[in-house]
Amino acid sequence: EWFASYRDLMSFSRLEKGKISLGKQHFSLLTKQLKGTAGSFKRGLLDLANAKIQSEPVPEEISANLRNYQVEGYSWLYRLSKNQFGGCLADDMGLGKTVQAIVFLASEKERKPEAKTLIVCPTSLVVNWSQEINRFAPDLRVAVIRGAAEERAEQLVDLKDKDVLVTSYAT
């Protein structure tokens, strides 16, 4: 019984310098083993577990009326970042993942003003991303990186005042 409860945890962990290390992508394996455990990692897990209950405030500069599920998606992204976890926002097409991501980028800008974001998307969506950022988060400064090598070189000269860089997979 004991082995069964720890089998997955041991399968995905590794021993490094006398300590057991587990990748963040496997944090859910710890849920059963955290009973009675204190610490920031457990608080981070609990924070993520309560994401459906608590909504994070949407940055004031956002000019969009978000649906409840969009606020929930943004709050989930926010908590992942706050707790230094990675994740993927995925649902059916047309439900507003772009605006949720833009709201998240605006909140990251508030928390980390010096941070830069790189968006890599299909060529057909490069202009759309730029337009949507300008529409929903006009305080975010966007640079589109595309075109021939000479054009891209010019576009890359001075990016220190930009918050978001948008480019294509091909570029």
Side-chain angles (χ1 to χ4, degrees):
E1 185 179 316
W2 179 91
F3 181 76
S5 70
Y6 287 95
R7 177 181 44 230
D8 290 339
L9 186 60
M10 293 302 138
S11 295
F12 292 107
S13 64
R14 59 189 177 280
L15 187 62
E16 295 176 351
K17 299 180 183 176
K19 294 182 180 182
I20 295 175
S21 176
L22 184 68
K24 290 179 184 177
Q25 69 273 23
H26 300 296
F27 78 93
S28 61
L29 297 174
L30 296 175
T31 307
K32 293 179 217 169
Q33 283 73 29
L34 285 174
K35 293 177 184 165
T37 303
S40 63
F41 189 75
K42 181 180 179 185
R43 282 191 300 277
L45 290 176
L46 293 173
D47 193 31
L48 291 175
N50 292 324
K52 288 191 174 192
I53 299 167
Q54 303 169 356
S55 295
E56 294 300 325
V58 174
E60 289 181 18
E61 70 272 8
I62 294 298
S63 60
N65 293 321
L66 300 178
R67 295 184 174 100
N68 289 340
Y69 68 87
Q70 291 172 322
V71 173
E72 187 178 307
Y74 151 68
S75 296
W76 182 73
L77 289 172
Y78 180 91
R79 281 185 174 73
L80 286 174
S81 176
K82 186 175 101 180
N83 293 295
Q84 299 179 353
F85 292 116
C88 180
L89 181 61
D91 60 21
D92 293 331
M93 289 183 62
L95 294 179
K97 290 178 293 299
T98 302
V99 74
Q100 290 174 62
I102 291 169
V103 173
F104 169 70
L105 295 178
S107 72
E108 285 292 281
K109 181 67 178 171
E110 285 180 357
R111 288 187 332 125
K112 306 173 202 166
E114 72 289 342
K116 305 274 188 221
T117 299
L118 174 64
I119 296 175
V120 182
C121 59
T123 304
S124 61
L125 295 178
V126 169
V127 172
N128 182 66
W129 265 100
S130 176
Q131 290 172 340
E132 296 289 287
I133 292 168
N134 288 326
R135 176 179 171 200
F136 295 120
D139 290 352
L140 289 176
R141 297 161 304 193
V142 184
V144 173
I145 311 300
R146 65 179 179 174
E150 305 83 39
E151 293 174 277
R152 292 193 313 267
E154 288 176 22
Q155 295 163 357
L156 293 170
V157 169
D158 191 19
L159 297 175
K160 65 181 169 228
D161 67 330
K162 302 298 182 189
D163 302 312
V164 181
L165 310 177
V166 184
T167 192
S168 67
Y169 298 124
T171 301

